[in-house]
Amino acid sequence: MPEVETIRYTLAPKIVHKTIKTVDISLAKLVIPEPQKFRAQIQGRKILRLWRRGKYLLLDLSGQLTLMIHFRMTGQLVYFPPSAPHPPYTHIVFTLNQGVLVYADLRQFGRLELLPSNKIEKHPILSKLGPEPLGIKREEFEALLKAKRVLKALLLDQNVIAGLGNIYVDEILFCAAIAPHRKACSLSRAEISRLFCCLQRILKEAILLGGSSVRNYVNGLGYKGKFQERHKVYHRRGQPCPRCGHAIVYTRLAGRGTYYCPQCQY
DNA sequence: GACAACCTGACC
DNA sequence: GGTCAGGTTGTC
């Protein structure tokens, strides 16, 4: 989510009020509807606004159209001034009235879906998303944690809270000194309180620092984030815990690689 | 809840 | 060669 939010705020000043002249799609499966319709519908539209819901980036266009993008693991959306070279793994090029907007995706998992703006609210996926982690109230958060599920799995569930990914769940749980395999309903008031504060703190800091570039993430201008330099546990297997010195442990939880300190998270 | 599938690449 | 990867979806 901090990565998507960073793409949103870096890209917006470059592309809002610009017009999409042409679109070139070299990998058909990335777009919905199929490339021919996608191109026909989007060409000539003006970009009005960029917003975000969970990990989805939404571009409101003229003519009551919205482009909904999910980047998955390796999607990139980057603005380039006229005549700049395209990055590797470029699959879609939007030529604007000034400059180009490039969608690149090494693993090809991302999707770009064009929808009538009035269908966004009822979209089968968007409408099921949980609340925004930075918009949620403490009491609301407390209520979500009544579930009997494993804490890490619960926090990663986009239908519970929309936007938390693997990096941030691990970092938030470290910050709150809570073990990822705990059952959500076993947390004390004090622990819920810590978790809530850490969630806000970590996400806000990560957004300010432009997200985490563990591999190839870049923002809307093609620059890497800096939050990976602040990771305390993520991708730090075997290294000393910054709080107690014990080696960071790597394990598998909720189907995801999970990093934590077995000594000070419990 | 676990796991394969979707892809390509980095690393040991 | 095997494992792992900012994610989600569909299947047992």
Side-chain angles (χ1 to χ4, degrees):
Chain A
M1 181 280 253
E3 288 72 30
V4 181
E5 180 59 20
T6 302
I7 293 172
R8 191 198 63 73
Y9 74 68
T10 52
L11 211 47
K14 295 289 184 186
I15 67 169
V16 168
H17 305 314
K18 287 188 180 154
T19 301
I20 299 168
K21 292 294 186 192
T22 58
V23 185
D24 286 300
I25 302 164
S26 56
L27 191 58
K29 67 173 180 183
L30 297 185
V31 298
I32 301 170
E34 59 181 82
Q36 235 179 5
K37 288 185 189 168
F38 187 95
R39 277 174 44 208
Q41 286 183 34
I42 206 171
Q43 284 177 2
R45 307 287 183 186
K46 192 170 174 181
I47 301 166
L48 303 179
R49 180 171 82 104
L50 271 66
W51 55 291
R52 182 190 57 74
R53 180 75 177 92
K55 299 175 187 174
Y56 290 84
L57 179 68
L58 297 122
L59 282 71
D60 283 345
L61 310 175
S62 58
Q64 290 295 302
L65 270 184
T66 297
L67 178 60
M68 177 174 132
I69 304 177
H70 198 301
F71 297 98
R72 297 285 174 98
M73 311 281 267
T74 53
Q76 304 178 332
L77 190 63
V78 184
Y79 172 82
F80 289 99
S83 79
H86 299 162
Y89 310 104
T90 289
H91 302 302
I92 304 171
V93 180
F94 301 88
T95 302
L96 308 179
N97 56 332
Q98 190 194 9
V100 295
L101 187 61
V102 164
Y103 182 79
D105 196 341
L106 187 156
R107 292 180 73 180
Q108 309 174 9
F109 289 167
R111 289 295 178 271
L112 292 80
E113 185 172 359
L114 203 49
L115 297 154
S117 300
N118 62 10
K119 288 208 179 157
I120 288 292
E121 297 246 329
K122 302 162 210 146
H123 190 280
I125 296 171
L126 280 194
S127 60
K128 288 198 186 79
L129 291 180
E132 285 292 320
L134 292 181
I136 197 170
K137 293 201 195 84
R138 186 181 297 257
E139 309 83 68
E140 203 180 343
F141 184 67
E142 215 162 299
L144 295 176
L145 291 174
K146 295 216 162 90
K148 285 182 190 164
R149 300 170 62 189
V150 169
L151 186 55
K152 170 144 181 176
L154 185 83
L155 294 175
L156 281 173
D157 187 338
Q158 301 300 297
N159 298 330
V160 175
I161 306 180
L164 297 182
N166 201 32
I167 292 178
Y168 296 100
V169 169
D170 282 5
E171 291 297 320
I172 289 164
L173 289 172
F174 174 78
C175 172
I178 301 170
H181 44 76
R182 286 273 298 278
K183 292 285 173 77
C185 58
S186 75
L187 299 205
S188 66
R189 292 290 298 253
E191 286 173 329
I192 293 174
S193 217
R194 262 165 26 219
L195 192 57
F196 185 75
C197 290
C198 289
L199 179 147
Q200 312 267 329
R201 266 236 312 276
I202 299 272
L203 291 180
K204 283 176 186 168
E205 191 185 2
I207 290 168
L208 281 176
L209 291 178
S212 302
S213 292
V214 172
R215 285 182 180 74
N216 54 12
Y217 164 75
V218 292
N219 68 22
L221 304 178
Y223 298 116
K224 288 179 184 262
K226 293 195 184 306
F227 191 69
Q228 70 279 4
E229 297 165 17
R230 305 269 180 106
H231 290 176
K232 306 281 197 287
V233 289
Y234 188 80
H235 237 304
R236 297 195 63 239
R237 178 189 340 209
Q239 291 177 243
C241 167
R243 205 158 42 204
C244 74
H246 193 286
I248 300 301
V249 161
Y250 174 85
T251 182
R252 216 146 183 104
L253 201 54
R256 312 296 301 276
T258 299
Y259 301 84
Y260 72 105
C261 173
Q263 183 154 276
C264 59
Q265 288 176 257
Y266 45 84

